[in-house]
Amino acid sequence: MNNFLNYQFRLYRTVKHLKFEQILFRFLKLFPKFYNFDISDIKIENVKKKWIKSISNKFCSISKSQIVFLNKCVPYQKSVWHYKTESKLWNYNLNYFNFLNQKFYVNKSFFAKLIDDWILNNNNIKNLAWDPYPTSIRITNWIKWSLNGNKLKKVHYQSLLKQSIYLNKNIEKHLLGNHLLVNAKAIFFAGMYFNTYESDYWLKKSILILKKEFKEQILDDGGHFERSPMYNALILEDLLDIYNIINVFDRKIFNYDKTIKSLIKINIKKMLLWQIFMSHPDGKVSFFNDSCFDVANNVYDLLSYAKRLKISTKIKKSLNSVYFKNTGYISVRGQYLNLIADVANLGPDYLPAHGHADSLSFEVSLKKQRVIVNSGISTYEINDQRIYERSTRAHSTLMLDNHDSSEVWSSFRVGRRAKISNVNFKNNIKLKKFSASHDGYIYKKGNPIVRRIWSFEERKISIVDTVNGSNKSNIKIYFYFHPYFKPLKVNNHEVLIKSLNQKDIFLLDFSNNVDVKIGQSFWYPEFNKKIKNCSIELNIYQKLPIKVKSTIRLIDTA
């Protein structure tokens, strides 16, 4: 009975934040839709300018012998578009058709046959292949492939029209967020590509959605409101693609909206700046919320694509630290060390699906080598692994009484959410000092508040954690290390961190009131991939308030 009640309360804490339109459109999904798949009128818009080469996909491949998505290699089977042995996300990737733009093993005649095969074997719109999200990405990829100089057949055009008609009636308004932007991008592409009565309607509709969602989703500091560096990179590339196709069809867009092109360019520039500082010097995303490698392209590829589109982002050489106030991240860069800290709320209250319980976590790199990390993600399936990867204990932060700072559960759900407060950021030349608090444990006896203060110098980072309150509590503070580094305990309060080549050495020292444990863990840098790494766990069991100081010193570097 208690478990049932706990579940109901948790469910209430989750759904009370939803928007009315999310509930309404979830209800409307229960009713059948009627489609007029009249695809007799096929007219393609005249291309005015050449499609600028977009970013080649390095993360997937398909050949006559095998398919590789998300680190899963599966034997290729003709006419199979749903592999029952694989996850929903893997099958989504199969139906995205991202491989049309793959970097290696390019076989254009084979790709054309795959499009034929998909059309022949996917007539049932109730199949997973027709879900709005993969349909959106597939529409975009088929059009991009055509604009890249590959000839489509009449049956391909007919299928594209049919998919666009379907998508237009299945915009994911019950989800909103990045899904809605991807839907809008697809019908924008279809609206630009075709020259029919319906395509005119799609173009007008998509422009309205895009303009509304830009205001909602792309915050003033340039970050996407779901606060995931990976999804920010995906949305940024979507905007670059939209800007690209506007140029291809030149003046067509100005018959509908004269401001959309400049609006997209402004947002691209903002998002590029955010992406630069939310990536490590290796060019890849930092691991906050749902983020990992080999899903979104790195910042250097995005900058190169923007440059090909004649969009540049100038950054002052003196700009070495940024507080992204709207999204809630702080990025500091020095001669040796680079630090990115999470002082963000979990995400939009009505859409926390990609949020983690990672409040006040941080990552550190030494030049282009990551040192302190969050654990990343390897799955979106509903299982214990997914729950662990979203949990507080999987991040370089503090946990109280073995509870998460935000109540993450299932695969994409969150009950209670930690709220950030009292953010301070002092940007002096020699010392960068910043701090924030969160109330993720305020429901506990004594109403504890967690606060973390970072002090950043050229070769030293100091962290002071405080938890106020009055109750006796078990506090754990985690530091996870990139597999390239190994910790060695010197004494009860000092740990030496050495790189595998022994050339980069750090000394970590901690307050006398903590128990220091070195542990084995895993780092999840990509889907379906884990690598052994090491962690340090600080344990304190005493009556609140408590204060713990941790200092990270760079002793030697190559």
Side-chain angles (χ1 to χ4, degrees), residues 9 173 402:
F9 285 131
K173 292 183 179 179
N402 293 314

Side-chain angles (χ1 to χ4, degrees), residues 168-191:
N168 176 58
K169 286 201 170 186
N170 288 277
I171 301 295
E172 293 174 283
K173 292 183 179 179
H174 63 297
L175 296 177
L176 302 177
N178 72 85
H179 278 241
L180 184 54
L181 279 177
V182 171
N183 299 158
K185 175 190 176 182
I187 60 172
F188 184 90
F189 261 61

Side-chain angles (χ1 to χ4, degrees), residues 76-89:
Y76 169 70
Q77 298 178 47
K78 187 178 180 181
S79 303
V80 177
W81 292 95
H82 188 175
Y83 288 71
K84 294 182 180 179
T85 58
E86 303 307 320
S87 69
K88 181 179 181 179
L89 183 62

Side-chain angles (χ1 to χ4, degrees), residues 61-76:
S61 68
I62 188 167
S63 67
K64 294 178 182 179
S65 60
Q66 65 181 25
I67 308 170
V68 181
F69 299 128
L70 306 175
N71 291 305
K72 295 290 289 291
C73 182
V74 176
Y76 169 70

Side-chain angles (χ1 to χ4, degrees), residues 320-362:
N320 55 16
S321 57
V322 181
Y323 169 32
F324 291 114
K325 188 174 182 179
N326 305 103
T327 43
Y329 290 101
I330 293 172
S331 180
V332 180
R333 296 183 171 186
Q335 182 181 352
Y336 301 102
L337 301 177
N338 304 275
L339 183 150
I340 306 173
D342 179 352
V343 294
N345 288 325
L346 185 135
D349 273 337
Y350 66 87
L351 189 61
H354 293 294
H356 288 201
D358 60 356
S359 298
L360 306 186
S361 66
F362 72 107

Side-chain angles (χ1 to χ4, degrees), residues 378-379 381 383-390 524 530:
S378 66
T379 183
E381 295 297 290
N383 54 31
D384 291 342
Q385 181 63 31
R386 171 65 172 162
I387 291 171
Y388 166 74
E389 290 169 6
R390 297 180 77 204
Y524 306 95
K530 65 179 182 179

Side-chain angles (χ1 to χ4, degrees), residues 37-39 42 44 100 115 118-119 130 135-147 150 152-168 186-187 189-191 193-194 198 202:
F37 289 129
D38 180 7
I39 49 180
I42 302 176
I44 308 301
L100 291 178
I115 295 175
W118 188 92
I119 294 169
W130 283 84
T135 298
S136 297
I137 297 175
R138 185 172 56 252
I139 289 169
T140 301
N141 279 327
W142 286 17
I143 293 174
K144 284 169 68 174
W145 197 64
S146 168
L147 295 175
N150 300 286
L152 295 181
K153 297 185 291 189
K154 183 178 180 180
V155 67
H156 300 160
Y157 293 132
Q158 289 174 330
S159 180
L160 266 175
L161 277 171
K162 183 178 179 181
Q163 292 175 62
S164 301
I165 291 166
Y166 172 84
L167 177 62
N168 176 58
I187 60 172
F189 261 61
Y193 188 71
F194 290 103
E198 283 185 319
W202 299 334

